[in-house]
Amino acid sequence: MKRPLAHRAIYKPEGPAAEYAVWGCNLYKGCRHQCTYCYLRRGPMGKQLGGAVPEIEKKVGGTEEKAYRRFCKEVDAYQEQLKTDGGIFFSFSTDSLLQEQWNLTYRCARYALEHGVPVWLLTKTTWWYRNAQFLWEYRDLLHIGFTLTGHNELEPYAPSNADRITFIRRLHDMGFHIWVSLEPVIDFESSLTCILNTTGLVEEYRIGLLSPYSKNRYDWQQCDRFMDAVHKLQRENGFFKVVWKDSIKKFYNEQKPE
């Protein structure tokens, strides 16, 4: 692959983010949901990425047109490698489908899809249902993900988990590929309920614990029962894939009783 551009829209994420995708795209920073558990609102990252008002990243140009041109240039340069590596993930620094971000996200996602590059989106929003039809023709390359926790009180300005599940059903009926991020797990019972309420609609679940990692937040026995229940659902249903993030695997293995 060619050397990446100095100021790039498409980049290789590191750390836990790298478990989601080989290539990511952060066009904006800041998020209106203000979820209390969000790693972008705490610690050193919060000072850089935790604002409540979404802003276009300066490193991608600072304006919609500059960001769009930069994104297109990078897709043109690296599209074969992006295809090989599974596509582009939007995004690690915000909810890329907030209303303020829709136009730029849509334009960039569509450009990638038009060039045969798979696109992965992760959101909590539901307002854009009617707009989904504009990407329907690329549904084989488009993977739409929703974060579910089962705890609306921790996500004060996001649509409810029930609303998101209703939206998942509608998009599934339209023929889209749907996946769910159960990260962070707030408690194992709520996460299992989210899976039970979406089984048959979702192709993949990605499951991880709160960040930063702490062994003291969870009970190992509850984790063990949760993982058994998920595996049982997999065997009985045979429809969905489960990706256990490193955080939950680490907790399970390190805290396992003798």
Side-chain angles (χ1 to χ4, degrees), residues 110-130:
R110 187 177 183 91
Y111 189 85
L113 293 167
E114 287 173 345
H115 288 75
V117 176
V119 167
W120 295 75
L121 300 170
L122 180 60
T123 187
K124 293 186 180 82
T125 63
T126 59
W127 69 273
W128 52 277
Y129 172 66
R130 295 188 181 278

Side-chain angles (χ1 to χ4, degrees):
M1 186 173 182
K2 299 176 183 178
R3 184 181 179 183
L5 302 178
H7 298 285
R8 58 191 185 274
I10 303 169
Y11 72 104
K12 279 196 170 185
E14 300 177 348
E19 296 179 63
Y20 273 91
V22 177
W23 297 100
C25 177
N26 295 335
L27 299 171
Y28 284 80
K29 64 178 181 180
C31 180
R32 293 194 180 279
H33 296 326
Q34 295 298 283
C35 302
T36 59
Y37 55 75
C38 183
Y39 73 100
L40 295 178
R41 298 188 66 214
R42 293 179 283 111
M45 294 295 288
K47 297 178 181 179
Q48 302 177 48
L49 302 169
V53 179
E55 300 175 351
I56 294 180
E57 287 273 18
K58 291 182 179 179
K59 67 181 181 182
V60 298
T63 69
E64 180 177 323
E65 286 306 314
K66 288 181 179 179
Y68 177 67
R69 289 197 299 270
R70 179 163 290 160
F71 179 87
C72 294
K73 182 178 181 180
E74 293 175 25
V75 169
D76 292 343
Y78 311 133
Q79 61 179 284
E80 294 307 317
Q81 188 65 52
L82 294 169
K83 293 176 188 177
T84 298
D85 291 336
I88 307 169
F89 182 92
F90 294 74
S91 81
F92 293 106
S93 60
T94 184
D95 184 325
S96 58
L97 294 180
L98 293 170
Q99 285 183 288
E100 300 97 322
Q101 301 179 35
W102 168 262
N103 195 51
L104 180 56
T105 300
Y106 168 77
R107 292 175 69 191
C108 291
R110 187 177 183 91
Y111 189 85
L113 293 167
E114 287 173 345
H115 288 75
V117 176
V119 167
W120 295 75
L121 300 170
L122 180 60
T123 187
K124 293 186 180 82
T125 63
T126 59
W127 69 273
W128 52 277
Y129 172 66
R130 295 188 181 278
N131 293 15
Q133 62 185 307
F134 296 117
L135 293 171
W136 184 82
E137 63 187 292
Y138 301 107
R139 64 194 182 281
D140 289 341
L141 291 172
L142 180 60
H143 304 263
I144 304 174
F146 290 86
T147 298
L148 296 177
T149 63
H151 283 268
N152 298 327
E153 76 280 5
L154 303 181
E155 304 162 334
Y157 300 108
S160 70
N161 283 254
D163 285 346
R164 286 173 237 167
I165 291 172
T166 297
F167 198 51
I168 286 172
R169 184 177 299 278
R170 290 176 178 175
L171 290 172
H172 170 267
D173 291 345
M174 291 174 68
F176 284 101
H177 296 294
I178 308 298
W179 63 283
V180 160
S181 172
L182 290 168
E183 186 179 26
V185 170
I186 305 301
D187 66 84
F188 295 110
E189 182 178 355
S190 296
S191 292
L192 182 59
T193 298
C194 289
I195 295 177
L196 290 169
N197 288 337
T198 54
T199 299
L201 306 174
V202 172
E203 297 178 0
E204 179 178 312
Y205 296 91
R206 302 186 184 187
I207 306 174
L209 304 183
L210 278 161
S211 178
Y213 173 80
S214 171
K215 66 181 182 181
N216 299 318
R217 292 194 182 103
Y218 302 94
D219 178 87
W220 186 90
Q221 300 291 344
Q222 293 177 1
C223 180
D224 184 47
R225 290 193 293 270
F226 169 73
M227 295 179 80
D228 280 347
V230 173
H231 287 142
K232 182 179 179 181
L233 282 171
Q234 269 189 296
R235 291 193 300 269
E236 294 174 347
N237 187 275
F239 177 80
F240 61 84
K241 174 183 178 183
V242 175
V243 176
W244 300 101
K245 300 292 294 297
D246 286 349
S247 58
I248 193 168
K249 289 190 290 185
K250 179 179 180 180
F251 174 78
Y252 185 86
N253 292 324
E254 288 187 352
Q255 304 306 310
K256 188 174 183 178
E258 293 294 335

